[in-house]
Amino acid sequence: MKAAFLTGIRQLEIRETPSPEIKGPHGVLLRVGVVGVCGSDVHYYTTGRIGSLVVKYPEWTGHECGGTVVGMGEEVNRLEVGQRVAVDPLIPCGHCDQCLSGREHTCRNQNFLACPGQGPGSLAEYLVMPERSCYPIPNGMTMVQASVIEPLSIGLYAQRLAEMPPGAKIAILGSGPIGLCVLLASRAACDCTVYATDLLDERLAMARCCGANWTGNPKQTDVVRAIRELEPLGIDFVFECAGQQETFDQAVELLKPGGTVLMIGIPEVDRVSFSIHTLRRQEIRLQSVRRQNNCMAPAIELVSSGAINLDQLVTHHFSLAETKKAFDLVADYRDGVVKAIVHVSE
Ligand SMILES: [Zn+2]
Ligand SMILES: [Zn+2]
């Protein structure tokens, strides 16, 4: 089969590689339909690492995808051949303390698609996943929508972790795909006031389409001051989706006493800092967000019911042969890109 591999910093090649085989009774062989390019894939592409996970070339890439079941192990019973699914890229061990306590996303022995040394990548013609990672999608849902379910599930999980009450004032710092998914999930969940920021005006325009009440670009506006003028008491929940020291600082300055910052962005640095006295005096809560947990099925439901429109996030389409172009586009934030999609077989 053909698959995309990272072969160096900013190098990506489509290579022939053996097709995967179903191992074990719960394995499912998928023909990959559509793959979304994620910021984390592009981190590995441009820098060769995220934190302590360092790429050894050649490395698989891609983890967001929708596919069609073409084969399965003898104990698979929730799926059938021809069923279309959205894929959760996580392969948990199923027996550690985390898995047994319902925290598969922090499994101690986890494999995740295209994380260095872990699973294969979804940017391939075929993929084998455990049954538990395959979520059937309804007939009306497109394969492109299926490929955006995983990032939506992250936004939904972050929104649920916040436990925001109706009327909450929230700020989303960084309006890329994940920030916009937090926005869509928050809008669908409750009546809230949403302030969104980004360095790219096209993304702010998209944030307004997705329901932001106010948007600001820190290149042109002192966003903390502007939001504070409108919300003198401060913000209840800040979703940090940029992973920059600057946005961590903005988060703390925006929050009201007792407010929460949810940290979703992936910083390129190993450490960030906070003013400990501000955190202490204001009793600010720091909540990190590790991908998602149990939010794939509810994300599918929100899209299929029409409560969330994912199509607006998808701005660019490529073929598997054009994967490098897709990665360069996302890496360089060109042409108003939000979600770039690679069509592998659809
Ligand atoms: Zn992703
Ligand atoms: Zn585990």
Side-chain angles (χ1 to χ4, degrees):
M1 69 168 180
K2 288 187 172 58
F5 289 93
L6 304 181
T7 54
I9 298 289
R10 279 194 176 249
Q11 288 174 38
L12 183 150
E13 289 173 23
I14 306 301
R15 292 186 175 174
E16 267 310 316
T17 189
S19 294
E21 279 167 26
I22 300 170
K23 286 183 228 83
H26 298 285
V28 176
L29 177 65
L30 300 170
R31 187 176 67 239
V32 175
V34 167
V35 176
V37 179
C38 175
S40 67
D41 300 322
V42 170
H43 259 274
Y44 286 123
Y45 174 64
T46 56
T47 69
R49 64 182 285 239
I50 293 180
S52 58
L53 288 178
V54 179
V55 172
K56 287 200 188 80
Y57 301 109
E59 181 65 73
W60 298 91
T61 185
H63 60 272
E64 299 175 356
C65 78
T68 304
V69 176
V70 292
M72 54 201 181
E74 60 273 19
E75 282 176 35
V76 171
N77 47 35
R78 279 193 307 113
L79 301 170
E80 52 191 45
V81 169
Q83 172 72 56
R84 300 177 315 136
V85 299
V87 173
D88 176 356
L90 177 70
I91 306 170
C93 79
H95 52 69
C96 72
D97 63 322
Q98 296 294 300
C99 284
L100 294 177
S101 64
R103 293 185 52 90
E104 293 179 335
H105 62 310
T106 50
C107 168
R108 294 175 192 269
N109 313 300
Q110 62 179 268
N111 283 302
F112 194 86
L113 292 184
C115 269
Q118 299 183 19
S122 67
L123 274 162
E125 290 177 299
Y126 293 93
L127 179 66
V128 168
M129 290 301 284
E131 179 181 22
R132 58 86 51 207
S133 303
C134 300
Y135 288 82
I137 58 168
N139 287 337
M141 184 176 277
T142 67
M143 204 55 108
V144 170
Q145 290 167 339
S147 75
V148 192
I149 290 296
E150 192 260 348
L152 176 61
S153 75
I154 296 173
L156 181 59
Y157 175 63
Q159 185 274 324
R160 289 184 168 187
L161 265 185
E163 297 183 354
M164 54 175 78
K169 319 280 187 200
I170 74 173
I172 297 171
L173 308 181
S175 300
I178 293 293
L180 293 168
C181 285
V182 171
L183 171 48
L184 291 169
S186 301
R187 268 275 159 267
C190 70
D191 180 22
C192 50
T193 306
V194 183
Y195 297 83
T197 69
D198 202 275
L199 296 172
L200 301 173
D201 289 331
E202 302 98 314
R203 293 190 169 188
L204 295 176
M206 187 153 311
R208 288 191 293 276
C209 290
C210 293
N213 300 83
W214 179 97
T215 59
N217 185 334
K219 280 200 284 198
Q220 289 131 29
T221 312
D222 180 341
V223 293
V224 171
R225 215 170 89 187
I227 297 172
R228 275 282 181 178
E229 264 164 30
L230 295 162
E231 297 290 349
L233 296 179
I235 294 290
D236 299 297
F237 300 95
V238 175
F239 295 88
E240 196 293 317
C241 302
Q244 304 290 328
Q245 180 63 54
E246 202 181 336
T247 38
F248 287 109
D249 291 338
Q250 291 166 357
V252 172
E253 288 166 37
L254 285 168
L255 284 170
K256 63 165 59 163
T260 303
V261 51
L262 294 107
M263 303 182 289
I264 313 169
I266 301 177
E268 284 196 3
V269 296
D270 290 333
R271 284 172 182 262
V272 296
S273 66
F274 290 97
S275 158
I276 189 62
H277 295 297
T278 310
L279 294 189
R280 191 174 59 77
R281 290 189 192 114
Q282 316 259 354
E283 204 178 52
I284 299 298
R285 289 196 298 165
L286 302 180
Q287 171 71 61
S288 44
V289 179
R290 178 58 165 159
R291 300 186 189 127
Q292 62 91 23
N293 191 22
N294 287 324
C295 284
M296 289 288 292
I300 290 170
E301 178 54 35
L302 283 165
V303 175
S304 60
S305 71
I308 284 181
N309 170 11
L310 278 184
D311 295 333
Q312 53 193 329
L313 303 188
V314 177
T315 52
H316 293 75
H317 296 265
F318 297 89
S319 66
L320 181 61
E322 297 169 323
T323 300
K324 188 177 187 313
K325 266 195 210 167
F327 275 49
D328 284 331
L329 179 79
V330 175
D332 300 337
Y333 301 95
R334 269 190 281 113
D335 301 343
V337 64
V338 176
K339 193 46 105 177
I341 294 289
V342 176
H343 294 258
V344 177
S345 70
E346 308 234 350

